[in-house]
Amino acid sequence: MNTKKIALGIALTFILSCNLIAQSSYQPSEKNIKNREWFSSAKFGLFIHWGVYSELAGGGDKGVGEWIMNNKKIPIKQYEKLPDFFNPTAFNPAEWVSMVKKAGIKYITITTKHHDGFAMYDSKISDYDVVKKTPYGKDIIKLLKDECDKQGIKLFFYYSQLDWHHPDYYPRGKSGLGFTGRPEEGDWNKYIDYMNTQLTELLTNYGEVGGIWFDGMWDQPDTNWRLDDTYSLIHKLQNGALIGSNHHKMPFAGEDFQMFERDLPGENTMGFSHTGAISQLPLEMCETMNGSWGYNFVDTEYKSSATLIKTLVKAAGYGANLLLNTGPMPNGKIQPENVDTLLKIGKWLEKYGETIYGSSKGPIRPSNWGSSTEKNGKVYLHILDCKEENLFIGKLPKKIKLAKFFDDQSVVKFKETEFGVIFNIPNAKKKPIDTIIEIKM
Ligand code: JFZ
């Protein structure tokens, strides 16, 4: 072998191993770890999908909201007219955040840019934003962030890596193809630089943010997204910001929490998750209140507050947060049906939040009958579905000292066997949504 080749080999090995080190050597800052703890204890967040797509309200198709540009094959030239009509004069961030607090929600994650590429904030690197292109002319993200700061709610930024508008999002992935009218060429690295600049704006102009919620990598999973650049940039700008990504895989190095889309951790009823595995990171599942993320006015299949409370309780049984979505209307109001549901959940949490907030997953894995959470040495069994008066659950790690119904603190009868515990739950003690038993071991 000649010396040139050897030198090249050494150089290559060096570059590769540096890259590997960069990937694996991510050490979350102390602040980041503290924020992860806060995040894990928060349990309930509000997801907001809001953009100019809300004007089209699904176009009469259920399940379509923020995807309408792609689904109806609307060329960029036509879609670019939408901002002209975006004027949410009834948007009142104080009202939003007060409602959020009443609902027992601890943080908000809002779309700053969805797949349509339109920025809902004042971007300097692009004209395609709410300040420059709409009659409203105000920075939605700034208005909401200031109000969140005022009322003590953390704000996370959803950011779509996938972009149906930017010419340099090329090569293309699975969506936003021919119909957009973009030339079939582009400079991928320029796009990533653009994205990183937008992220820099978001992380420098709005004070401290909760974190970045990425989405869109699934559009082309095998492309080089230069994640190291993006993630280290974010952690450099705000070392407390938590990064999560909706790529439906096990978390990559540099990410601070793992998310599950419309499924409880480890479940895959939607067919999105490419891994059934649950990592050691804080967990979050997101879910819609009907079947759509962005505003859709024919999708009236709203889930009941009881159903959503059960989802929250099951998520908590996995140690996961529930990020529950609403798609505000083009006038800036939150759908009244959603407000109603959220406030009902809030009422329930007022009474039972003690067993949810700040808890970790309990000793019994969630299953059909319900789930368990654990806090301050107490285990809470959440019985969500039990027709009989006797409920058998698996083995608990220790012997039970005392079991009481959370509601009236009356003693619960139980029998410990070598296979598990049988609890006696008289029908008269059952609650319509969640019968909670408090256990000391
Ligand atoms: C993604 C977005 O596309 C959607 O608009 C919304 O923001 C949601 C929270 O996240 O949803 C996806 C992403 C990927 C797939 C399906 C839904 N997929 O690969 O099948």
Side-chain angles (χ1 to χ4, degrees), residues 47 49 66-67 114-115 158 213 215 218 246 248 261 272 286 293:
F47 209 174
H49 276 73
E66 73 293 348
W67 268 76
H114 206 270
H115 308 335
Y158 169 109
W213 204 103
D215 186 24
W218 46 263
N246 191 27
H248 305 147
E261 183 178 343
F272 296 154
C286 57
W293 299 101

Side-chain angles (χ1 to χ4, degrees), residues 47 49 53 65-67 111 114-115 158 160 162 164 174 213-216 218-219 246-248 259 261-262 270-274 286-288 293-294 323 325:
F47 209 174
H49 276 73
Y53 42 79
E66 73 293 348
W67 268 76
T111 47
H114 206 270
H115 308 335
Y158 169 109
S160 171
L162 158 62
W164 297 329
K174 299 185 188 107
W213 204 103
F214 281 115
D215 186 24
W218 46 263
D219 188 56
N246 191 27
H247 46 50
H248 305 147
M259 52 176 80
E261 183 178 343
R262 304 189 67 182
M270 296 300 290
F272 296 154
S273 178
H274 298 296
C286 57
E287 181 58 290
T288 51
W293 299 101
L323 183 65
N325 181 74

Side-chain angles (χ1 to χ4, degrees), residues 40-263:
S40 286
S41 74
K43 291 293 180 291
F44 193 20
L46 182 69
F47 209 174
I48 298 180
H49 276 73
W50 202 26
V52 292
Y53 42 79
S54 68
E55 290 172 40
L56 301 180
D61 288 343
K62 283 189 185 177
V64 183
E66 73 293 348
W67 268 76
I68 196 157
M69 178 180 173
N70 182 80
N71 294 18
K72 296 277 180 199
K73 299 197 173 10
I74 306 173
I76 287 172
K77 223 173 136 224
Q78 293 307 107
Y79 197 88
E80 277 184 346
K81 294 178 180 170
L82 283 179
D84 291 348
F85 318 126
F86 189 72
N87 197 12
T89 48
F91 172 49
N92 182 341
E95 213 171 78
W96 280 22
V97 181
S98 305
M99 186 277 291
V100 156
K101 291 193 77 162
K102 260 190 162 165
I105 290 164
K106 304 298 182 195
Y107 64 99
I108 299 175
T109 304
I110 187 167
T111 47
T112 58
K113 182 198 91 170
H114 206 270
H115 308 335
D116 66 359
F118 188 76
M120 291 295 276
Y121 72 97
D122 186 9
S123 176
K124 297 287 179 259
I125 195 185
S126 161
D127 281 347
Y128 202 44
D129 75 39
V130 68
V131 174
K132 289 179 220 91
K133 292 287 185 205
T134 73
Y136 189 65
K138 287 185 261 184
D139 184 333
I140 299 278
I141 300 300
K142 174 96 173 70
L143 292 171
L144 184 61
K145 178 63 165 66
D146 288 348
E147 192 56 42
C148 283
D149 286 348
K150 223 181 194 171
Q151 298 202 40
I153 290 289
K154 282 210 196 207
L155 190 63
F156 288 66
F157 293 155
Y158 169 109
Y159 189 91
S160 171
Q161 293 155 300
L162 158 62
D163 196 306
W164 297 329
H165 182 270
H166 200 285
D168 284 316
Y169 186 87
Y170 189 91
R172 309 268 144 73
K174 299 185 188 107
S175 64
L177 300 177
F179 72 87
T180 63
R182 291 179 284 189
E184 290 307 313
E185 62 190 4
D187 182 342
W188 180 256
N189 277 315
K190 256 170 119 176
Y191 173 70
I192 298 293
D193 292 341
Y194 165 84
M195 179 179 86
N196 288 343
T197 305
Q198 286 211 318
L199 288 163
T200 304
E201 293 174 338
L202 287 166
L203 289 153
T204 38
N205 300 338
Y206 298 86
E208 219 168 88
V209 305
I212 305 290
W213 204 103
F214 281 115
D215 186 24
M217 269 183 73
W218 46 263
D219 188 56
Q220 35 184 327
D222 300 324
T223 300
N224 180 10
W225 287 91
R226 289 169 44 199
L227 284 190
D228 263 1
D229 291 355
T230 302
Y231 289 178
S232 54
L233 172 73
I234 294 169
H235 285 140
K236 192 184 83 201
L237 291 169
Q238 291 201 22
N239 66 5
L242 303 181
I243 298 175
S245 179
N246 191 27
H247 46 50
H248 305 147
K249 293 185 177 154
M250 276 300 267
F252 299 143
E255 292 172 8
D256 303 298
F257 65 101
Q258 183 179 11
M259 52 176 80
F260 299 86
E261 183 178 343
R262 304 189 67 182
D263 258 320

Side-chain angles (χ1 to χ4, degrees), residues 352-365:
Y352 301 108
E354 193 185 324
T355 69
I356 302 289
Y357 300 122
S359 68
S360 40
K361 68 173 178 196
I364 304 280
R365 208 186 144 85

